[in-house]
Structure formats: structure tokens, C-alpha cells
Amino acid sequence: MSQTASHAPASAPTVLSTRTVQGACNLCEAICGLEFQVETTTHGERIAAVRGNDKDPFSRGHICPKAVALKDLHEDPDRLRMPMKRSGDTWQPIGWDEAFDLVVDGLARVREQHGASAVAVYQGNPNVHNWGNITHGPLFFGQLKTRHRFSATSVDQLPHHLVAYWLYGHQMRIPIPDIDHTRFLLVLGGNPLASNGSLMTVPDVRQRLKDLRQRGGKLIVIDPRRTETAAVADAHHFITPGTDAAWLLSVIHTLFAENLTKPGPLTGLLDQLDALREAVQAFSPDATAALTGIDAATTRALVRELAAADGAACYGRMGVSTQAHGVVCQWAIQVINLLTGNVDREGGTLLTAPAVDLIKLGLMGPGHHDAWRSRVRGAPEFSGELPVSVMAEEMLTPGKGQIRALVTACGNPVLSTPNGRQLDQALQGLDFMVAIDFYLNETTRHANVILPPTCFVEHDHYDLLFWHLAVRNATRYSQAIVQPAAGALHDWQIYTELARRYAQRTWALEKASVGQRLQGLAKRALMGRLRPDQMLALGLRKSSYPLTMKQLRAHPEGIDLGPLKPSLLNLLGKRHKRIQLLPGAITRDLHDVLARVAASNQPGTASDTAVQGQPSAELKLIGRRDVRSNNSWMHNSPRLVTGKPRCVLWIHPADAQARALTEGQTVQVRSRVGEVRVPVHITEDIKPGVVSLPHGWGHDRQGTGLRVAQAHAGASLNDLTDDRLTDGISGNAAFSAVPVRVAA
């Protein structure tokens, strides 16, 4: 258990002054502008209130419950504020010098004994929301020289990046729906009313969807669940989980079959059109209907509307990425937008023009795929990372290259990656582990040392990544809202010091020449002396906009840079690039999709047949997003877990009746890898044959320091998801359509 201090009751603080500070929320991709009411008291600074910033040109005053919880995070007594060292089952606070020495010695010792790739890295989702990780994390992680690098990318958006790399030449060149101008928005596997947009940074999305309909546009949702977004759509169509690839291929088939293709200005850059037409020939809406559950007439009517719309966008998110053919899904979505002339078109999908463009600055490489493979399963890397689905087996399987040490940064993979129980077991066997995190959670409890950075309101912030995905060009720099405690370190300071000490400790292990090593040390020393805001100032000098740090500081509410504009055609033309519509890996994966389509049309095929008088327990498990929950640590905020329990299993009335289940009853859910017990919620808002459980819960493990979360433990979806179920091309986790059995 974590060590907590005991304090005598203190007298109520006296408020000395009050000020308003403009900042931003970086808990999710919406990056909403906020106003903080900060009080200076006789006991120090405190946040009195958090509200949306009406002056922000991008978020326009929007706020969701997560932003208000920034106050809870700052004040949370469970949040670690000093480095912690584990001794057996107990923890004790230590100084920063001792902590850095322990970390460097532990990692270097494993590297000396077993090689660089015996040390692994896992970077969680909050890394990309916290710019100090982006600016200074590479200083340290690059030092480790390991091929065992993992991140939340491969339990989320990896297919997006791979498809962007293939089609448009860069992993971050992802066209964004021009939601403010489109007249037809088709959403698959996404729920922006709960997520505030994802790989489509779109605050105030409810109003933006209202505006879409007021200008005569339509919103159509394809999803196994009637989501919050589906509830406000013009139409919602249930689809069988894991079959989106087949349905999207039937859309492409219909575009060709009914001569609805009109690529427009991009026509001259599209290669392999005839090969594409041939590849989708067998995926007619009639052929795919039995598998997907969407009848042929509905599909054809939707395709005709999409093709006829004056500006349309097909958008698919996590639900279509995290399935067995997730890359095919994201590829097909891009192909649909290309064939209908809606890529690089106002009202369609467009590239952004951020003030600090990481692509133009050369700070983010285009990507590469399958340059090497994992040791045990042979899973391919993408841009230097292996899919997280293989991380546990790389720890548990003996032999040369076995992972023996781990660095986690702002992540809780025991709850967020497939087959969490297996990873839990694997972490127990490591020789050494360090976590850069401010919570003692289900993953960090296995660490030898925890290094806690300051929290979000205690340092300045700039969204380096999410302006690349925003539905409108804007920019915003935020100063720290409150001052950190004396002795606290920001994440960038932690990485800088780790990089410096690790380089000195492992000098003799470097295979580079002395000159190259000295050059590396000098570069790291220079980078280490630059704060993130100083790096931002340098980036602004090469911006396409006339912006300075002085201007950003003068406008903490943000600066509007205008709507998205067509740019892809010009970009590809300048580089003499063409769009190859049919990558080889896609062609190979289509054979598997076609086999599923053929099998679904065989006589006698059924998804829930009786076995010995009982219904088959083969139901398809999908995840669920909630507006009050983005990462597992948010469950330690009292205001985000109040109300009705949200970690419940959604099930259709017909499936509940077949199993004699009643509302609120605790059921056992079993998969190949594990089982959980959870209450059921019986609802017609989910397709028959499908059950849904939200992600991020499962706080019943011993040895954590999350008292609020433990009191609202719930069950972990990832004790059921299967590390062997992955996308065939990328290795991305397949969380959708996991076969499960449900019983009282």
C-alpha cells in the first residue's frame, strides 16, 4: 500500500486574493479552453472553480465533466508528490537524487547483462496530451536503444497511421472531417458525443452536429450500439461487431457498380482504380448482408445519398480500428472519401494547417512498417513500435531478447491492453521496473521506483499533436494555473535528468565512435537546457503564420487561424507523389474478409444456436465510452464516479431472456483468457447477440493507492479481451467482437 501522511485537523484557510486564469483541458482530444478561479489563501493556492472559456475561438465555452475534475486531480491526496521506492509490499518516499540513481542503475544493469532490447518501454495515452513528454521524452527513451517499444497507439489508432502512411506518405497526414461545412456525415465505430471527437479534435460537438442538420445536412451512424451520437442522428443502423470491413467494401462495390465514383481534382493522382474495382467485385451489398446485418437496400440507399451530397465525410474511429480487419476498415474509409471526391474538399475531409507543424519541422518521421518483427509471435513493427498485444509474451517467453525490465510512462496497461491478467503476471517476473506516473495504480504497483511528475494544472501547456487533428485551425498556449509544490519536477525535467545520467552510466556500452558519442552528449545537453516553451518559440519561427510567443502569451484564450482548406493535392503534386489505392497487404487481407462473407451465406449459419437445450454462450463483446471516463485514473475523482454505476454489462432483452437474466443481476462473463463478474443492464439500445462493457475499470486488485477507484472497482474489460485476437496486418488489438459466454 502507498504511504500517506497523517495530519492533525487544520484551521480553515483565509482567502487573501482571487484571480482568473485562462488555460486548457488536456484530458481528452477536445482540448477545450477553460477559465480557472484561483484563490490565494493562508495555506497556499487552490482552484475554487473551473468553467468553460466563452472567449476561446475553438471550443466556444464548451466544457464537459472531466475538465471540472482537474481540481480533483490537483487536490487528490492519493496523488504521489515525491519519488517512491518499493520494498516488498511497502512503499517509502525518497529524494530525487536517490530515485534517479536507482532507476539508472537498475536499467543499466539489465542492459549490461542481457542487451539493450531486454529493456522495454510502454507509453500510455496521456503522453500525447502532455507536451513535456513529447518534447523531452525522446531524450531518454532514445538512449535505451531498444526494439521493445510499445504504446497505447496499438490499442487504438494504429490503423489510421498505417493507412495515412501508405496513401498520403506520412503517418500523421490524416484528413479530418470538415464537420463545420459538411452536409453528410457517416460515422462508424465512433461516438463523438461521448469522446468529444477522436482523431477529429472537435469540442462543442453537439452544437456542431445541430448546425450540420440546420443547414440541411444528415448524420448517419453505423454501430452495434445505439450510442449517444446515434441517438441524435437522422438514422442509426445496427451492425454485427467485427464486420465493418465487409460492409465498407460493399459501399465501394456499389460506388463502382452504379457509376457513382467522381474523384474530382484528385483523379489524376489515383493509381490502381481498375485493380480496386476488381478487388471489391465479390462484396456486393447482397453478399455482405447476412454477415453484417445491414440489408442490401439500406446499403445502396446510403451510398447514393453519400455520393450525391454536396460535401460528405465518412469517419470511422476506435470501434472499426480495434477489430480483426481494422486496417482494411480505415483503408476502405479513405477509399470511399477519395472515390466520392470528398478528400481535400471543403465539406469533405481536409488536412489541417497547425501553427507548429511537426511534419514540416521534421520532428515526426513519415513512418515505416514491418522493418522488423517481434521475437515470439513475429508481429510487425510500425514506426519503431511493436503492437502491445505481444508485450506480455515477450516478458514470459525465455530466450535471447526476453524483456527483463520495463519503463512505463503515464500508462496503466494492466487495465488498458488485451489480456490484462496475463500482463499482470508478466510484470511480477521482471528484474526491474520504473514508472513515470503520479499514481500507484494496477500497473505501477509492480514498479521498483515511481517518479511522479507535476500534474496538468501545475505546468504550462501547448497541444503539439491535437492541432494536427482539429476541425478548425487555431492555436493556444497556457501558463501554469497554480504553482507546483517545492521540490516537484515537471515531466520534461525528469526525462532530461534521466537522459543525462543514463548516458554517463552506459557510455561504455555505446557502439558508436567516441566522436559520435560526444556529439550525442552535446545534443542532449543542449536539448536539456531548453524548456518546452523555448522549443515552442523556435518552432514558431518556422511557422506558416506570423506568430510569436509574445502573441500567444497575450492571448491565453487562443487565436483563431481560420477554417481548414484544401492542401493535399498541392502537397502531393509538389512531391510528385501518387496515391496507390490498393496496397499489397490490403489485397491479402481481403481474402480473409471474403472467406467470412462466403461462410455467412452458407445454409445453416447461425450466431446463437442451441447446445444441449441451452442457448449458445457465443455473444460478441464490444467496449463502451463514457463522457466522464477517458483513462483509468479518472475513476479516482469522486465527481466522475458518482451516480448510477456505469461499469455494467449491456445486453439485449432477447439475450437476457434466453439466459433467464434480470435487470441488475450479477452475471459471469467468460472469454478464452479470463472471466469477470458484473451487473447487467437490459436494453434495446444494443444489437441482439452483442454485449458491451466500458473500458478502464477493474480497480479491485490489491496494492494500489486509488481509494476512490477501489470503492467503485467495477470489472476490467481487458480481463476478457484476447491478446491473440489482433488485426492481421498491423497487430493492433481487436477489442471488438470478442467471443464471450454470459451466465447467471
Side-chain angles (χ1 to χ4, degrees):
M1 59 185 296
S2 62
Q3 178 171 315
T4 56
S6 175
H7 298 284
S11 58
T14 300
V15 177
L16 303 176
S17 63
T18 301
R19 70 184 192 279
T20 299
V21 184
Q22 297 182 85
C25 177
N26 56 342
L27 297 183
C28 79
E29 294 183 42
I31 59 175
C32 297
L34 303 175
E35 282 190 349
F36 295 83
Q37 202 74 19
V38 179
E39 295 176 345
T40 301
T41 76
T42 50
H43 291 180
E45 291 183 318
R46 69 183 182 190
I47 297 172
V50 184
R51 57 178 175 263
N53 189 352
D54 293 332
K55 300 174 184 176
D56 190 291
F58 184 58
S59 60
R60 310 182 302 197
H62 177 73
I63 189 173
C64 84
K66 291 192 294 294
V68 182
L70 283 167
K71 170 181 167 63
D72 298 349
L73 174 63
H74 173 57
E75 299 174 353
D76 192 348
D78 290 341
R79 182 166 66 87
L80 303 178
R81 289 164 171 80
M82 287 292 291
M84 303 293 287
K85 178 177 72 172
R86 180 167 58 85
S87 299
D89 294 330
T90 62
W91 291 86
Q92 64 183 63
I94 58 176
W96 282 104
D97 273 340
E98 181 182 355
F100 286 134
D101 285 342
L102 286 172
V103 170
V104 168
D105 287 344
L107 295 176
R109 186 169 58 251
V110 170
R111 179 176 174 180
E112 289 164 355
Q113 294 175 358
H114 305 288
S117 287
V119 178
V121 173
Y122 175 82
Q123 294 178 270
N125 167 271
N127 279 276
V128 294
H129 295 264
N130 213 26
W131 75 320
N133 292 297
I134 300 172
T135 58
H136 288 70
L139 291 177
F140 172 59
F141 295 130
Q143 291 281 332
L144 298 178
K145 311 292 185 183
T146 179
R147 285 189 168 185
H148 279 132
R149 295 189 64 166
F150 307 92
S151 80
T153 295
S154 55
V155 292
D156 192 334
Q157 78 272 11
L158 176 55
H160 289 265
H161 296 303
L162 183 53
V163 169
Y165 164 67
W166 278 339
L167 296 183
Y168 309 125
H170 198 286
Q171 60 181 317
M172 278 299 293
R173 205 165 278 150
I174 301 172
I176 306 301
D178 187 16
I179 193 172
D180 289 339
H181 302 100
T182 191
R183 292 184 175 273
F184 191 95
L185 182 61
L186 175 62
V187 177
L188 296 93
N191 186 11
L193 279 183
S195 67
N196 295 310
S198 184
L199 291 188
M200 174 178 66
T201 294
V202 53
D204 198 19
V205 65
R206 185 179 294 274
Q207 184 58 51
R208 283 180 153 104
L209 291 177
K210 287 181 180 178
D211 294 344
L212 183 156
R213 299 179 71 182
Q214 286 175 359
R215 61 176 173 266
K218 273 193 172 184
L219 169 64
I220 309 295
V221 174
I222 310 290
D223 203 286
R225 182 172 73 90
R226 185 174 290 112
T227 63
E228 292 84 348
T229 305
V232 303
D234 293 276
H236 164 238
H237 303 283
F238 286 116
I239 189 170
T240 301
T243 67
D244 300 80
W247 187 77
L248 288 163
L249 289 166
S250 75
V251 171
I252 300 174
H253 171 99
T254 304
L255 289 172
F256 280 120
E258 300 193 7
N259 295 316
L260 298 174
T261 60
K262 47 176 183 178
L266 287 174
T267 301
L269 296 180
L270 299 184
D271 285 343
Q272 302 172 299
L273 269 168
D274 291 339
L276 174 62
R277 182 197 302 268
E278 181 64 27
V280 300
Q281 187 63 36
F283 294 96
S284 70
D286 304 278
T288 61
L291 179 65
T292 66
I294 300 178
D295 65 84
T298 297
T299 297
R300 290 192 173 97
L302 277 176
V303 175
R304 291 163 190 158
E305 279 195 279
L306 171 67
D310 183 17
C314 181
Y315 164 76
R317 248 318 274 134
M318 191 163 175
V320 290
S321 287
T322 56
Q323 56 179 275
H325 299 287
V327 171
V328 171
C329 288
Q330 294 300 342
W331 163 81
I333 286 169
Q334 292 301 319
V335 167
I336 290 166
N337 288 331
L338 285 165
L339 293 181
T340 55
N342 283 304
V343 172
D344 208 36
R345 173 188 176 177
E346 292 184 16
T349 64
L350 293 161
L351 295 181
T352 60
V356 178
D357 192 325
L358 298 180
I359 300 175
K360 288 183 179 178
L361 290 172
L363 298 177
M364 179 176 289
H368 48 77
H369 179 238
D370 207 6
W372 69 83
R373 294 192 164 226
S374 66
R375 177 180 62 103
V376 179
R377 192 185 306 182
E381 63 77 43
F382 179 75
S383 285
E385 290 185 3
L386 290 168
V388 75
S389 54
V390 309
M391 185 163 68
E393 68 188 32
E394 291 293 330
M395 296 176 184
L396 293 170
T397 306
K400 184 179 179 181
Q402 179 184 5
I403 295 174
R404 296 173 179 270
L406 176 67
V407 181
T408 64
C410 310
N412 191 2
V414 166
L415 295 190
S416 61
T417 64
N419 198 351
R421 292 286 178 185
Q422 181 190 44
L423 180 60
D424 214 353
Q425 173 195 351
L427 295 180
Q428 295 177 32
L430 292 174
D431 295 345
F432 187 77
M433 178 177 166
V434 56
I436 301 165
D437 206 299
F438 45 57
Y439 277 122
L440 182 60
N441 62 31
E442 291 75 16
T443 297
T444 64
R445 68 190 177 123
H446 294 290
N448 298 86
V449 182
I450 303 177
L451 306 176
T454 54
C455 80
F456 304 123
V457 296
E458 296 173 340
H459 57 75
D460 62 351
H461 181 68
Y462 184 86
D463 284 289
L464 284 169
L465 280 178
F466 294 114
W467 293 122
H468 285 74
L469 304 167
V471 297
R472 187 175 179 88
N473 294 313
T475 190
R476 184 204 305 119
Y477 170 74
S478 305
Q479 302 273 16
I481 308 303
V482 295
Q483 293 302 306
L489 294 181
H490 301 311
D491 43 23
W492 68 270
Q493 293 171 313
I494 293 173
Y495 288 123
T496 298
E497 187 60 16
L498 284 175
R500 186 185 70 81
R501 296 194 187 202
Y502 190 80
Q504 292 176 346
R505 177 69 165 77
T506 60
W507 172 272
L509 297 176
E510 295 294 329
K511 295 181 180 179
S513 68
V514 173
Q516 290 172 322
R517 283 184 278 178
L518 288 171
Q519 187 178 28
L521 284 174
K523 180 181 178 182
R524 285 187 292 274
L526 174 62
M527 293 288 288
R529 284 197 296 269
L530 291 175
R531 301 186 309 269
D533 63 304
Q534 292 171 318
M535 293 185 181
L536 176 60
L538 292 173
L540 288 174
R541 292 180 184 178
K542 297 186 178 181
S543 175
S544 300
Y545 304 93
L547 290 169
T548 64
M549 282 299 297
K550 183 178 180 179
Q551 289 173 291
L552 292 188
R553 288 192 171 99
H555 295 280
E557 76 281 4
I559 299 173
D560 182 41
L561 300 175
L564 307 186
K565 295 291 185 181
S567 62
L568 179 63
L569 179 64
N570 183 53
L571 179 72
L572 296 178
K574 283 183 176 180
R575 287 164 173 73
H576 305 289
K577 298 283 187 181
R578 301 184 61 79
I579 298 173
Q580 303 297 319
L581 289 173
L582 197 58
I586 294 292
T587 302
R588 292 188 291 273
D589 215 37
L590 292 187
H591 293 296
D592 291 337
V593 182
L594 184 58
R596 294 187 62 197
V597 170
S600 70
N601 288 299
Q602 293 300 314
T605 301
S607 61
D608 195 10
T609 55
V611 178
Q612 296 181 350
Q614 298 295 323
S616 168
E618 173 108 350
L619 297 174
K620 301 297 184 184
L621 175 68
I622 63 172
R624 193 163 75 246
R625 179 71 179 264
D626 184 271
V627 71
R628 289 186 290 173
S629 177
N630 185 35
N631 291 304
S632 60
W633 53 264
M634 292 183 185
H635 302 150
N636 214 51
S637 165
R639 78 183 73 217
L640 294 182
V641 294
T642 55
K644 293 181 180 180
R646 299 196 307 285
C647 188
V648 295
L649 185 78
W650 283 26
I651 190 170
H652 190 272
D655 295 317
Q657 183 178 15
R659 292 157 179 80
L661 303 178
T662 58
E663 176 69 20
Q665 180 179 359
T666 298
V667 297
Q668 180 189 66
V669 188
R670 299 178 61 191
S671 71
R672 183 189 75 85
V673 302
E675 64 179 61
V676 301
R677 298 191 176 197
V678 65
V680 294
H681 172 53
I682 301 171
T683 175
E684 292 187 348
D685 286 340
I686 195 161
K687 182 178 172 62
V690 182
V691 290
S692 174
L693 195 64
H695 75 281
W697 301 85
H699 303 290
D700 55 349
R701 291 160 168 84
Q702 298 300 308
T704 68
L706 301 166
R707 287 172 290 183
V708 174
Q710 285 179 320
H712 302 79
S716 175
L717 168 72
N718 288 312
D719 286 349
L720 298 170
T721 55
D722 195 334
D723 60 300
R724 306 299 298 187
L725 295 179
T726 62
D727 172 68
I729 297 175
S730 66
N732 199 53
F735 291 148
S736 189
V738 176
V740 294
R741 298 172 177 268
V742 177

